[in-house]
Amino acid sequence: MSKTIKVALAGAGAFGIKHLDGIKNIDGVEVVSLIGRDLEKTREVAKQYKVGHVTNDLAETLALPEVDAVILCTPTQMHADQSIQCLKAGKHVQVEIPLADTLKGAEEVARLQKETGLVAMVGHTRRFNPSHQWVHNKVKAGEFNVQQMDVQTYFFRRTNMNALGQPRSWTDHLLWHHAAHTVDLFAYQANSPIVQANAIQGPIHPTLGIAMDMSIQLKAANGAICTLSLSFNNDGPLGTFFRYIGDTGTYIARYDDLFNGKEEKIDVSRVDVSMNGIELQDREFFAAIREGREPNSSVHKVLPCYQVLHQLEQQLNAA
């Protein structure tokens, strides 16, 4: 596939804009349609990024013959159904994390991908951040083995606001959204499937109807362990911080930056062609389409993560 890949983006909010910024740096790709719930705001974003077609109806965009692929940055609860809609329309699809908020939904997307042969990829960005890539390269080279990962995912989000401080139309979730990053990354970096998983959660928020605090323990088949703490109640510092404790070193990853155990910064600028994890994720999506191959973080490669999340949800519901 040598022609320009024409892509549509659904959900031009805080995360959609990160994709638009990343795609600007990728040759041979053009955003031709934006889909958003608020047409006025979506038109503003479209004008800024010179996108010609704007709609609030995904089906309208999927009917455009020139659209090759779709990136979904929509509410979690819509991800599986919209991914299926894209695949049925013959479009390659990249859906932001999580693939689904039920195992059944994730499995249905995986089944349809196999049936259509289209590229279907999930935005498990941690696989692409230069910091985590650097660690993964060490693991692949046999120079580092994960003994333990200690991960903190912390927000201060006691009201339903997005990353830009704007009201959300949907409710975020610690397990199906934020824990998905670490559950997938742990198995990927340990280079071993998860065989044991435990979870406990704090009180359910009276308005949002979700747990605001959660603790998860994981064990891989090779013996590596992971401890994950998540909170919407934490009043700073905010974000996700990963400590890799291994047999030959300790590393601390903060998004695209990496430090050793003594807090000395490690240069990861040569790990890949960009220092932006979202851009690298998008580059992989478009490269897989051009090369007719399965991408890193394909629906099939990340499906085990959603099987673990399902087990954890069952545990929490039974508690």
Side-chain angles (χ1 to χ4, degrees):
M1 186 176 185
S2 57
K3 69 181 180 71
T4 297
I5 296 174
K6 298 196 173 181
V7 62
L9 185 135
F15 222 83
I17 285 168
K18 290 185 180 184
H19 281 278
L20 291 171
D21 286 336
I23 291 169
K24 280 194 303 186
N25 301 322
I26 304 173
D27 292 336
V29 179
E30 180 188 357
V31 181
V32 297
S33 178
L34 280 188
I35 306 106
R37 179 190 306 262
D38 185 325
L39 269 181
E40 191 178 330
K41 284 182 182 175
T42 307
R43 283 195 187 103
E44 285 174 17
V45 175
K47 186 178 178 183
Q48 185 183 344
Y49 289 90
K50 298 180 173 60
V51 180
H53 181 262
V54 175
T55 180
N56 58 7
D57 182 8
L58 177 61
E60 182 184 322
T61 291
L62 294 178
L64 298 173
E66 65 268 28
V67 171
D68 301 304
V70 181
I71 296 176
L72 298 171
C73 302
T74 48
T76 293
Q77 294 81 355
M78 304 167 80
H79 285 184
D81 286 345
Q82 288 185 334
S83 298
I84 289 166
Q85 199 179 343
C86 293
L87 291 170
K88 284 183 174 177
K91 313 296 186 185
H92 303 288
V93 64
Q94 179 189 173
V95 57
E96 258 314 320
I97 197 169
L99 170 57
D101 59 358
T102 65
L103 178 58
K104 184 180 177 184
E107 288 175 337
E108 180 58 20
V109 178
R111 185 196 65 76
L112 195 58
Q113 185 285 323
K114 193 167 278 189
E115 190 179 292
T116 62
L118 293 161
V119 172
M121 174 175 161
V122 191
H124 283 258
T125 314
R126 301 295 166 260
R127 289 182 178 225
F128 302 95
N129 291 116
S131 53
H132 298 295
Q133 277 201 58
W134 189 93
V135 174
H136 192 68
N137 291 341
K138 282 243 178 220
V139 173
K140 283 195 299 182
E143 298 170 3
F144 179 76
N145 294 293
V146 176
Q147 307 295 313
Q148 180 175 181
M149 280 174 63
D150 187 79
V151 185
Q152 299 172 327
T153 295
Y154 290 157
F155 303 94
F156 188 65
R157 195 177 287 165
R158 293 177 184 170
T159 54
N160 212 7
M161 308 293 274
N162 71 11
L164 297 177
Q166 300 162 340
R168 262 207 173 108
S169 59
W170 55 285
T171 305
D172 205 355
H173 202 280
L174 287 176
L175 179 65
W176 282 96
H177 178 182
H178 298 289
H181 280 294
T182 298
V183 171
D184 176 67
L185 185 70
F186 171 59
Y188 183 64
Q189 300 289 55
N191 200 26
S192 182
I194 294 167
V195 294
Q196 193 174 345
N198 302 304
I200 56 172
Q201 64 185 11
I204 302 297
H205 191 280
T207 309
L208 298 177
I210 56 168
M212 303 291 280
D213 292 275
M214 194 173 290
S215 176
I216 293 173
Q217 291 178 309
L218 305 168
K219 185 173 185 178
N222 66 1
I225 62 171
C226 175
T227 302
L228 169 61
S229 171
L230 307 107
S231 181
F232 283 142
N233 274 320
N234 177 65
D235 194 5
L238 308 178
T240 302
F241 314 106
F242 299 81
R243 178 179 290 268
Y244 290 99
I245 301 170
D247 53 353
T248 57
T250 294
Y251 304 107
I252 301 156
R254 300 184 179 101
Y255 294 97
D256 294 313
D257 295 320
L258 186 68
F259 304 82
N260 65 19
K262 298 178 177 64
E263 287 287 352
E264 296 163 338
K265 192 166 186 177
I266 295 169
D267 181 10
V268 294
S269 63
R270 293 178 183 82
V271 168
D272 213 324
V273 297
S274 168
M275 279 290 290
N276 181 334
I278 302 295
E279 178 190 327
L280 295 173
Q281 175 183 310
D282 288 340
R283 284 180 180 275
E284 171 67 2
F285 178 50
F286 300 126
I289 292 171
R290 286 195 189 282
E291 296 162 20
R293 62 168 172 83
E294 182 180 9
N296 190 354
S297 80
S298 70
V299 290
H300 294 284
K301 288 178 179 175
V302 303
L303 195 58
C305 162
Y306 296 91
Q307 292 165 344
V308 171
L309 295 179
H310 175 70
Q311 293 168 21
L312 291 172
E313 183 176 66
Q314 288 182 311
Q315 263 186 42
L316 292 169
N317 289 343

